[in-house]
């Protein structure tokens, strides 16, 4: 992917275009609903959460983001807008979703393209648990990751393991649906044994689980340097 350097005026128009697509999606829903596909209101990240993700990533001044799960592109559009706002000379957004052209009929990718974000984004349509391993082997580095893929504990755990190698030390990993026991248990291992730390106050005004008040999205900062704990120091995490 080539370096994207835009004059200020053009960059502003590009951001406005992305914001307009985001607004249209939030207000009107996707341009079509695939037959038998997942319900938009159920699977999409609410706009206020997307706004917080965007603002958080802008504050982090990210240049490269890995995202797991595209669906109808609500979070991907917010991440793309953040990448345009940070002023990175080579913004890059790697989006992984093996179900984009099956369950979602390509709607999310079409929305990214309509916003012009296919200039900085690439879509990978294979399971993240396999693709992330190859990214790590290739030495790929990211500033942040957003995880909203499989909610099976073992898949989330594998995703986080490889993201711990891909996201730079001191970078951040955001997870949607941390209120689900399977997702919360997976990240608890990395908190308890590998020094991942919640970013206090981040995304505090987002959606919360009604029964517990626990935020929907968790933000975690990776340690710097990466730890190499002894296996004898293992601590139970759930």
């Amino acid at each position: 992917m080539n370096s994207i350097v835009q004059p200020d005026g053009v960059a502003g128009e590009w951001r406005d275009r992305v914001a307009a697509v985001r607004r249209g999606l939030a207000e009107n829903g996707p341009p079509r609903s695939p037959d038998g596909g997942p319900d938009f209101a159920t699977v999409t990240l609410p706009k206020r959460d997307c706004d917080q993700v965007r603002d958080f990533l802008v504050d982090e001044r990210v240049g490269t983001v890995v995202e797991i799960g595209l669906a109808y592109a609500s979070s991907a559009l917010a991440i793309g807008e953040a990448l345009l706002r940070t002023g990175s000379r080579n913004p890059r957004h790697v989006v992984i979703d093996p179900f984009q052209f099956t369950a979602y009929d390509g709607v999310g990718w079409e929305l990214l393209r309509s916003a012009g974000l296919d200039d900085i984004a690439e879509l990978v349509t294979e399971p993240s648990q396999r693709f992330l391993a190859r990214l790590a082997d290739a030495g790929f580095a990211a500033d942040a990751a957003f995880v909203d893929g499989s909610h099976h504990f073992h898949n989330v755990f594998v995703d986080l393991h490889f993201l711990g190698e891909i996201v730079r030390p001191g970078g951040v990993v955001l997870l949607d649906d941390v209120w689900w026991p399977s997702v919360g248990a997976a990240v608890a291992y990395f908190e308890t044994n590998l020094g991942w730390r919640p970013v206090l106050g981040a995304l505090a005004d987002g959606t919360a689980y009604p029964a517990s008040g626990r935020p929907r999205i968790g933000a975690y900062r990776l340690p710097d340097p990466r730890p190499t704990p002894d296996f004898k120091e293992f601590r139970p995490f759930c």
Side-chain angles (χ1 to χ4, degrees), residues 79-233:
I79 291 169
E81 187 179 352
L83 285 166
L84 296 181
R85 289 188 179 200
T86 60
S88 170
R89 291 183 61 83
N90 189 24
R92 191 171 185 186
H93 186 189
V94 179
V95 186
I96 307 169
D97 189 341
F99 305 110
Q100 177 56 206
F101 293 107
T102 54
Y104 296 97
D105 195 31
V107 171
W109 183 241
E110 288 177 17
L111 286 165
L112 285 185
R113 293 184 64 190
S114 72
L117 289 171
D118 52 325
D119 282 341
I120 65 173
E122 55 191 283
L123 175 62
V124 177
T125 56
E126 66 176 281
S128 53
Q129 295 79 36
R130 293 203 291 265
F131 182 72
L132 290 175
R134 294 206 301 279
L135 274 187
D137 283 345
F140 184 87
D143 301 304
F146 183 82
V147 182
D148 188 16
S150 169
H151 286 26
H152 290 288
F153 169 82
H154 53 281
N155 288 333
V156 181
F157 185 92
V158 173
D159 284 344
L160 297 182
H161 165 71
F162 286 114
L163 289 174
E165 298 183 11
I166 291 167
V167 175
R168 61 172 173 78
V172 292
V173 174
L174 309 180
L175 290 96
D176 189 24
D177 292 328
V178 291
W179 56 31
W180 282 95
S182 54
V183 178
V187 75
Y189 168 80
F190 295 87
E191 273 193 84
T192 305
N193 288 279
L194 291 181
W196 292 28
R197 291 290 174 260
V199 182
L200 300 178
L203 314 171
D205 296 327
T207 305
Y209 186 53
S212 66
R214 185 176 183 183
R216 172 174 178 156
I217 302 177
Y220 300 87
R221 190 170 303 283
L222 276 57
D224 185 5
R226 290 189 177 98
T228 53
D230 190 289
F231 73 91
K232 290 178 286 189
E233 298 172 357

